[in-house]
Each structure stands twice: as C-alpha cells, then as structure tokens.
Amino acid sequence: MRIPATTACLCPLLICLCFIQKSYGTSQLRPNVRAPSNQTKHPDGETDVHHRPKRGWIWNQFFVLEEHIGPEAQHVGKLHSNSDKGDGSVRYLLTGEGAGTIFVINEVTGDIHASKSLDREKKGHYVLHAQAIDRYTNRSLEPESEFIIKVQDVNDNAPKFPDGPFAAAVPEMADVGTSVFQLTATDADDPTYGNSAKIVYSILQGQPYFSVDPKTGVIRTALSNMDREARERYSVVVQAKDMAGSVGGLSGSTTINVTLTDVNDNPPKFPQKNYQLYVPESAQIGQSVGKIKANDEDLGVNAEMRYSITNAEGKAMFSITTDTDQREGIISLRLPLNYEKRKVHTLHIEGVNTHLDPRFSHLGTFKDTTTLRIIIGDVDEPPVFSIDYYIMDVYENSPVGTEVGTVMAQDPDSTKSPVRYFIDHNEEEQVYFTIGLNNGVIKTTRSLDREDVAWHNITVMASEVDNPSLVSHIPITIQVLDVNDNAPYIARDDEIIVCETSRAGQVIQTVRPSDKDNFANGRFSFALPIDLPINPNFTLMDNEDNTASIVARRRQFSQSEQDLYQLPVVVRDGGEPVLSSTSTLNLRVCVCQRGGGGSSRVKACRVPAFLSTAGLSTGAFIAILLCIIILLAIVVLFVILRSKKGKKEPLIISEEDVRENVVTYDDEGGGEEDTEAFDIAALRNPAGAERRRLRREVRPGTEGWLVACGPQSPSLVLLDTEDMHHVIRQKVVEADRDTSGPPYDSLQTYSYEGRGSLTGSVSSLGLAQVLPPEISYSDLEDWEPEGHTLSRLFETELSETEQTIAP
C-alpha cells in the first residue's frame, strides 16, 4: 500500500512521542493511591495492622496509525500495574476486539503491538480489556479494566461524487451569477483530524461560461447573453480536492451537463416578404385554398403565434385560421370567386407571438408581416339563371300547349356558350309540362285540374352546348288558378231531424253548401224547384250569407203516419258562368227529447220499443226471457249427458296391441237389467230358446201393457230344429273363407255347453223377474240332492213374491 509523503514525515514524530511515553509514562498516569490500613482488634486489646497498598494501572489512551506497512509490528503502548516489581511474577492478559489477532501483548512487560495494518475507514477504534494476574497463583491482582485503541487517520481517501455525472438546466439569456447547480463531494477521511477531509472545488472545464464556489460547490453562470439558439448544451467538469487544496492533496472530479432552456427572445419571421397563390374560381365557400407559415427559432409555447389578415379588402374575401400543431396559417374562402369580375386579390398577413416575455421587450415587436397575392384561375362554369327561384301560374282547364312562363340562363364565362334547357322528370311522375330546348318557354302537355292538383313543383336544368356535363338546376313552382267548373251542392250524408212537436214557421235546420271551387265564385243562392208544386210541409228561406234555413209550414208531425219527407233544394253560385245543382234532403220525423233542465230539445230519434205494441210490461218481458234461458240450459244439459252416455270403452285396451285395423261396433246394450233385448240364453241352452222367445209377462196393475222380447236374429230362430254346434261350425267356415276380414288371428270364445246334460242349464240369465205360474217343479224330483235344495229356494222366493204382488 502506498504511504503518502505526509505519513512518512509524521512517523519520526510519533516514534518520539512513544519513546517519551515509555520513559515518562508513570508521571502521566493516574497516581498511586494508598488505601488505609485494615486493623484487626484482638480480645486481649492488641491490634493487628495489615498494610495493603492500592493497586492501580499505569497506562494511557493508546493510538495507532492506520495503513502501517513497516517490517516490524507497530508498537501501540504499554500496560503496567503497581503490583509489578519487575520480577516477572505479574502476568498481563488482553481480551476484547482484535485481541490476539490484531493486537498482541507481551505478558511479562505489558507492551502491546499491532501485528496488522489497520484501516480507519473500516473501523475507527477498538475496545479491549486488560487484566493483571499472579503468574504463580493465577490470582487477579487488579480488577479487569477497559481501554480504547484509536486508529489515527492518514489522508488515504480522495473526494468522491457518488451520484455523478449530473444534469442541470438554466434559462438562456440568464444574468451573470445565476445559480445552476450545487455539487457536494464526500471524503472518507476523518474530518476532525487535520485537513484530510477539507475539500476545495474548482472548474477544470466549462470556462468562461460557468464558475463554481470553492467552498460550497455552487455552479453559477459566468457569462451573460448565452443564446440557446446559438448553443444549447454545455459540459462542465468540476474538481474536488482535499487537504484544503494544498499540494499533495487527493482529488476527484465529475461532469455536469448544463442545458439552456428556451425563452421567448426571438420574434416570428416569414421566410419571404411576398408570396403568390393560384386559386380556381370554382373553389367552394369555406374551402381551404392555401397555407402560410412563419418561422420562430423558439420552442414550445414561446413559438406559438396567431395569424391574421390586416387589409379590409382581403379580410372580406378570405379568412385565416391558425393550426397550433403545425404553427401554420390556413387560408379559406369567405365569398365566391369570379374570374370575370376580378382576377387578383392581395392579402396582407401578420404573424404575432401569443406568449410575450416583458424582459425582452427591448428586442422589438415580436411579429412579422408578409404579402400574399391570390391569382384567380378561369374555370368553365355551368350556366347561371337570372333569378334563384321561379313562381308561375296557369288557369285550370287551359288547352294543351298553353304557355306558362319562361326561364333564362346564360354562360357566365367569357366564351358565352349557348344554353339548352331540360325538365328533370321523375320516371314515376306524370308529365304535365314541357320546356323549349333553346328559349326556356314552359308549356302545358295536358289539361290541368285545380281540384286535383293545385300546385306543381318542377326542376329545370340548363347546360352549355359546348360542355353538356356542366349543369345548373333551379326549382320552379307553378300554381293552377281556379275557374268556375264545379256546381255547388248540399251534402246529404246525415238526415235532418224533424220533431213531432214542430210548429209552423219554426226553423228545422240551417244548411250550408259545398263547392270544390274556391271562394272567388261569389255568393251562393238557394231556392225550391219551380217545376214542382208547392211543398205543403216545408219551405226554404235564403239567409243571404251562403246559408239557407228549412222552415216548417205546418205543425204536429206524426211519426206513425209518415216518418220520412224529402225536400229538393236548388243551389246556385255566383261565378262565371253561373252553375247550379239540385240536392234532395231527407227529413225524418222523430220523437224528440227535452234537454236536461232546459227547454231546448235534443234532436235525436228514440227507437220505439218493439214490445210496446203488444201490451207487455217490463216484468212480463223479463219473465219470458228467464223461461227461455232455463229451457236453453235444460237442452244443453241433455246434450251433455247424451254425449257422455254415448262414449264407449275401447275394444283393445292393451298398450302392446299395435294392430293396424280398428273395428268399431256401434251396438250398445241395455245393461245388466236388459234381458229381453238380446236373449243370450239361446247360446247356452238351444232347447229352451224357442220357449223363452215366446214368453210374455203381464204384471199386475198394468193392464194393456205387454212386455215382449225384441226381434230375434235369423240364426236363432232355427235353434229349435238345428244344433247350435252345427251353426257355430258353419260360421267358422264362413269366417275362414272371408278374404275381406282382418289378416290376423283372433280368439273367439263360445259358451256353448252342448247336449247330453241331464239337468240342463243352471244359468239364471234366461229367467224372468217373476216366474210364471205355469212352470211345474215336479220335474225336480228326479234331480240330485243339489237340485232339491234349489227347488226349495225357488219355492220360498215364489211364495214371497206372490204375497207382495197380491192386491
């Protein structure tokens, strides 16, 4: 490690100090203090005196130089106890920070040495503990004491700028001495010892524009009128040196990049004093025709400007707006251009800064002007009509070809090209007018009816012969004037009500005529037809105000006698020629009602009650209505019950049956009690079929009432002569041969017992409600015991039945 020259100079001085410390250290240490002797008093009155001297350390605060690189260990100091007689019986021990590694002690002499080079910037002092013990007994001669070894600083660290390089800004044109930036350097050396950390600042680069304060490190402007537009950035190098800047001090440097910020110190300037712009005369109003821009060397808001036209002539024809983003003036057209009237327009344009800095008002006005000549270009324009809108009129019913009016247009250009005229027809519209191709005369193409269309709107187009693509349009409104071509009439939509109680001379109603023509046809007049006899019931009175009143000639009209009268009325207008028409008015006689609380009558017919002539009261009418409702309810109930009764259960109930054909038998039986409609006993007992078929039952108390079986099927009539078994077999053969039947198998069950039974059929289905008396039970004697029991039961039931029926 390099040792500075100052360190080499101090070494001899420090060695001398250490030598003086060794030689005269005891005079500088704390003086030995004898403790008072301890006395022990014996019982016999003698005292034993023990003298124990006060032990103390003979030492001082130690210092050691940092960065020691000598061949021998650096002597730090010496420990010494008053108990040390120099005979080697005292042993010195050292503990604490760095003991045994950095600091080594001689246990006999107490000398302390630093075995390593120390750096104060890493650790400035060490705290150690010293102890003196008896070498032979290891008994502590002195209590453990603490002392400090301080590392003495040498100038081995140069100043530093830990955050550099730096950036700073200062406004351009700033005054001399304006603060720009403040630097602060750091030095790791001890600022309390010598000048190792005393720093002085100086500029190595950046003069003569900037200066730095040597003590504070503040950088200031050193030159006035620094112009950003000439130079914007500066690089300043500043040095920091310790040892108060003396020779041999250590130094460090950093860079500060200084930027001059903009101020409004430059007015706007147009690159040219005269400009020229070409604009065609066809330019539209409001359209941008050109741009102009003034330069400003400043930046941001300092370069913002506003453009304006200063001469009144140019301001009337053109306008200028400012584009703040591009800092341009946009010139727009205010009025239409006409090459034939004026070919050149001159504009005086001014550009002015909007944000002024009063500090630089001495530099002059921050604005500039220029002149712009606008040259108008000739363009082939479409024809121009003499006026902007035409209104014409024509009488209705005018003959075809009647002249309505004339339009006129001409070429505004110097060539004065001929003009052609057209009507812009819509394909769906009817054509009522035509226009002369060369003269612009508008004529009718058909007769017009004001009552159909009173106003017509058409559009006429004009184009140049030389350039047909240039077309002008103009709207034309044509009014159809009225002539007296419609006779007046009286509307007959509603009937006129005549009250039965009307009096003679009473005004029945006032009528007003209608006329499709306008009111220019004069006043209307009213009269009764002269070719008809005088109406005995009503007359007409002309009110001479375009109305007429119907007046009753007699009183007491009767609706029952005559409810409708007709009155023809002749209406004439005052037009030229006079037109008239006859309208027949219907007058209906009604029973009028008196208004609520007043004497006025409400002219509205009351419908007569249709039951009033029958003489029925309201109560009777309500009773009849209720009877009709009850009858209707009974009929509906009967229909509902009949429909429920007619419903049958399906022949096939199983959900798995998926046959394609459904056979419906619309033959309903009479239930369990119906034993006569179809005698099923014929299937059970063929022998008794004929006998049961002919049976009759006459009930007591019902003379003349005959209960008999219904008609029998033809096949059952022959049961007395044919065997039922044979019949069934025949039916099976017929069913097998029938090809029109269902193509699926069917299961048919026949409850036929056959012949050969001794007892016959025991079924009760064929029995009547009361057994006839002619049945003999004597035949039951030949039956088995079960038959005798059945006989007794029937006899008991028969006797009870006879007692009940007997009168």
Side-chain angles (χ1 to χ4, degrees):
M1 181 176 180
R2 183 178 62 87
I3 299 177
T6 53
T7 306
C9 298
L10 291 175
C11 288
L13 178 61
L14 294 176
I15 294 173
C16 296
L17 291 175
C18 293
F19 178 76
I20 296 172
Q21 181 179 351
K22 288 182 178 181
S23 303
Y24 304 98
T26 55
S27 62
Q28 298 176 1
L29 296 177
R30 184 176 47 194
N32 294 336
V33 178
R34 293 270 179 189
S37 59
N38 295 331
Q39 295 181 358
T40 303
K41 189 173 183 180
H42 295 275
D44 55 1
E46 295 181 359
T47 60
D48 185 8
V49 180
H50 301 283
H51 300 282
R52 186 180 67 181
K54 175 65 177 177
R55 297 181 181 88
W57 292 98
I58 302 174
W59 64 300
N60 202 348
Q61 184 176 3
F62 299 138
F63 295 90
V64 60
L65 287 175
E66 67 171 335
E67 305 296 345
H68 177 72
I69 58 173
E72 297 180 356
Q74 184 180 183
H75 185 265
V76 178
K78 183 179 179 61
L79 297 180
H80 186 71
S81 174
N82 293 334
S83 301
D84 189 0
K85 304 301 184 180
D87 55 0
S89 61
V90 178
R91 181 184 177 187
Y92 296 96
L93 299 178
L94 187 64
T95 60
E97 296 177 339
T101 57
I102 300 176
F103 301 103
V104 181
I105 188 171
N106 190 324
E107 296 180 354
V108 177
T109 62
D111 292 322
I112 301 174
H113 292 81
S115 61
K116 296 182 179 179
S117 177
L118 304 179
D119 188 357
R120 188 200 67 84
E121 285 71 34
K122 293 183 179 180
K123 189 171 181 63
H125 66 277
Y126 297 86
V127 178
L128 293 96
H129 300 273
Q131 186 178 9
I133 62 175
D134 190 290
R135 181 179 299 273
Y136 304 108
T137 62
N138 289 329
R139 181 174 58 87
S140 177
L141 302 177
E142 299 290 344
E144 183 178 295
S145 299
E146 180 181 276
F147 67 97
I148 297 174
I149 298 178
K150 299 186 68 175
V151 181
Q152 199 168 17
D153 183 46
V154 297
N155 190 18
D156 57 344
N157 291 279
K160 295 180 180 180
F161 296 94
D163 299 328
F166 303 93
V170 64
E172 63 173 332
M173 310 300 290
D175 296 335
V176 176
T178 302
S179 176
V180 179
F181 194 76
Q182 183 175 6
L183 292 172
T184 301
T186 59
D187 195 323
D189 293 328
D190 189 1
T192 62
Y193 181 77
N195 294 328
S196 298
K198 189 174 183 180
I199 300 173
V200 174
Y201 300 93
S202 62
I203 287 185
L204 301 181
Q205 178 183 327
Q207 293 177 337
Y209 307 103
F210 300 94
S211 63
V212 64
D213 190 300
K215 294 183 179 180
T216 61
V218 176
I219 300 174
R220 303 179 185 275
T221 57
L223 189 64
S224 61
N225 300 328
M226 286 191 295
D227 191 2
R228 185 198 64 81
E229 290 72 27
R231 183 177 177 182
E232 184 177 5
R233 291 179 176 83
Y234 296 85
S235 181
V236 181
V237 179
V238 176
Q239 176 184 268
K241 190 174 183 180
D242 58 10
M243 299 299 293
S246 61
V247 178
L250 303 179
S251 64
S253 63
T254 189
T255 301
I256 305 97
N257 297 314
V258 181
T259 302
L260 298 182
T261 58
D262 184 60
V263 296
N264 191 8
D265 58 341
N266 293 281
K269 293 290 182 181
F270 286 100
Q272 299 175 208
K273 287 299 181 183
N274 294 282
Y275 291 90
Q276 186 170 300
L277 179 64
Y278 173 83
V279 179
E281 63 174 334
S282 59
Q284 300 296 320
I285 295 176
Q287 177 183 350
S288 174
V289 297
K291 299 179 181 179
I292 194 169
K293 183 176 182 179
N295 297 327
D296 194 328
E297 296 180 353
D298 296 324
L299 301 175
V301 295
N302 297 319
E304 293 181 0
M305 64 186 72
R306 181 182 65 254
Y307 296 93
S308 61
I309 300 175
T310 57
N311 60 324
E313 177 186 351
K315 188 183 299 183
M317 290 294 298
F318 298 90
S319 63
I320 188 170
T321 56
T322 304
D323 185 354
T324 57
D325 295 333
Q326 302 297 329
R327 298 191 182 95
E328 294 177 338
I330 302 175
I331 302 170
S332 303
L333 186 61
R334 189 187 295 271
L335 296 176
L337 301 174
N338 192 332
Y339 173 81
E340 288 72 24
K341 293 183 179 180
R342 188 165 184 175
K343 298 177 175 58
V344 178
H345 293 271
T346 302
L347 305 181
H348 297 296
I349 300 176
E350 182 181 68
V352 182
N353 279 139
T354 56
H355 297 83
L356 301 179
D357 194 337
R359 296 178 299 172
F360 307 104
S361 59
H362 62 279
L363 299 177
T365 58
F366 283 76
K367 63 182 179 179
D368 194 18
T369 58
T370 188
T371 301
L372 174 62
R373 294 180 73 251
I374 298 179
I375 299 175
I376 309 303
D378 187 17
V379 177
D380 192 5
E381 301 174 272
V384 177
F385 288 92
S386 57
I387 58 178
D388 297 333
Y389 189 80
Y390 286 91
I391 298 179
M392 302 177 182
D393 55 59
V394 63
Y395 281 98
E396 65 175 331
N397 302 328
S398 298
V400 176
T402 301
E403 183 177 336
V404 180
T406 304
V407 296
M408 183 179 294
Q410 62 179 359
D411 183 10
D413 300 322
S414 58
T415 57
K416 300 300 179 183
S417 175
V419 178
R420 299 289 184 264
Y421 301 93
F422 309 92
I423 294 179
D424 186 8
H425 291 295
N426 191 337
E427 295 180 357
E428 299 179 357
E429 293 180 354
Q430 296 182 359
V431 179
Y432 292 94
F433 306 94
T434 184
I435 190 171
L437 183 62
N438 298 318
N439 55 14
V441 177
I442 300 175
K443 297 181 180 180
T444 60
T445 60
R446 63 175 62 188
S447 180
L448 303 179
D449 188 0
R450 188 199 67 87
E451 288 72 33
D452 186 14
V453 180
W455 295 86
H456 294 269
N457 296 311
I458 63 175
T459 300
V460 174
M461 302 182 297
S463 64
E464 296 181 6
V465 176
D466 298 337
N467 190 357
S469 61
L470 297 176
V471 180
S472 296
H473 299 76
I474 189 169
I476 299 176
T477 299
I478 300 175
Q479 181 184 9
V480 181
L481 302 178
D482 185 43
V483 296
N484 192 20
D485 58 344
N486 292 278
Y489 63 94
I490 298 176
R492 293 171 292 178
D493 297 338
D494 299 330
E495 294 179 341
I496 298 174
I497 305 300
V498 179
C499 296
E500 289 184 338
T501 58
S502 297
R503 302 182 303 273
Q506 179 179 347
V507 176
I508 303 301
Q509 188 168 335
T510 300
V511 295
R512 185 181 299 274
S514 300
D515 195 338
K516 293 182 179 179
D517 298 324
N518 58 22
F519 294 99
N521 293 325
R523 188 181 65 82
F524 297 100
S525 60
F526 305 86
L528 296 177
I530 59 177
D531 56 344
L532 297 178
I534 298 176
N535 193 319
N537 300 309
F538 304 97
T539 185
L540 189 68
M541 181 177 62
D542 191 347
N543 297 327
E544 298 183 353
D545 60 352
N546 292 332
T547 62
S549 298
I550 301 173
V551 182
R553 283 182 177 271
R554 66 182 181 89
R555 54 176 302 195
Q556 296 297 331
F557 295 89
S558 176
Q559 184 183 16
S560 60
E561 296 178 358
Q562 183 177 353
D563 63 343
L564 184 64
Y565 295 87
Q566 291 184 341
L567 180 65
V569 177
V570 178
V571 185
R572 295 182 177 86
D573 61 18
E576 185 64 33
V578 177
L579 300 178
S580 65
S581 68
T582 301
S583 301
T584 301
L585 305 180
N586 295 322
L587 293 83
R588 181 172 296 278
V589 178
C590 291
V591 178
C592 299
Q593 299 177 353
R594 183 178 298 277
S599 61
S600 62
R601 295 181 181 273
V602 179
K603 290 187 177 182
C605 286
R606 289 189 305 177
V607 179
F610 70 93
L611 294 176
S612 61
T613 58
L616 293 178
S617 64
T618 304
F621 175 74
I622 295 174
I624 294 173
L625 185 62
L626 289 176
C627 291
I628 293 173
I629 294 174
I630 293 173
L631 290 176
L632 290 176
I634 293 173
V635 172
V636 171
L637 182 60
F638 177 77
V639 172
I640 293 174
L641 293 177
R642 187 68 179 270
S643 62
K644 290 184 177 179
K645 185 177 180 181
K647 294 182 179 179
K648 290 184 175 182
E649 292 294 329
L651 296 177
I652 301 173
I653 303 177
S654 174
E655 296 181 355
E656 298 179 356
D657 196 328
V658 291
R659 300 179 182 179
E660 297 179 355
N661 298 325
V662 178
V663 181
T664 302
Y665 297 91
D666 192 9
D667 186 7
E668 183 177 358
E672 295 179 355
E673 297 179 357
D674 187 3
T675 60
E676 303 298 334
F678 184 79
D679 192 0
I680 195 173
L683 298 176
R684 309 267 184 190
N685 190 1
E690 180 66 18
R691 185 171 61 251
R692 291 188 182 91
R693 182 175 67 84
L694 298 177
R695 181 173 44 187
R696 299 291 185 268
E697 178 184 358
V698 179
R699 298 181 181 181
T702 58
E703 297 181 359
W705 287 49
L706 180 61
V707 180
C709 296
Q712 300 293 326
S713 62
S715 61
L716 297 179
V717 176
L718 300 177
L719 291 176
D720 56 347
T721 59
E722 294 184 6
D723 187 4
M724 188 64 188
H725 187 269
H726 176 71
V727 173
I728 292 175
R729 287 183 177 274
Q730 183 179 358
K731 292 297 182 181
V732 171
V733 172
E734 292 176 359
D736 293 339
R737 293 178 180 177
D738 187 6
T739 59
S740 63
Y744 48 80
D745 296 334
S746 61
L747 177 64
Q748 301 180 8
T749 303
Y750 301 93
S751 298
Y752 172 64
E753 299 179 358
R755 297 182 178 272
S757 175
L758 297 178
T759 60
S761 177
V762 296
S763 174
S764 63
L765 295 177
L767 297 179
Q769 188 174 11
V770 179
L771 294 176
E774 61 266 17
I775 297 177
S776 176
Y777 294 97
S778 59
D779 298 333
L780 300 177
E781 295 177 356
D782 298 330
W783 291 4
E784 295 295 328
E786 292 84 356
H788 295 290
T789 303
L790 183 63
S791 175
R792 287 195 301 270
L793 291 175
F794 274 95
E795 287 178 354
T796 304
E797 182 179 1
L798 179 61
S799 60
E800 292 176 359
T801 303
E802 290 177 351
Q803 292 176 5
T804 304
I805 298 176

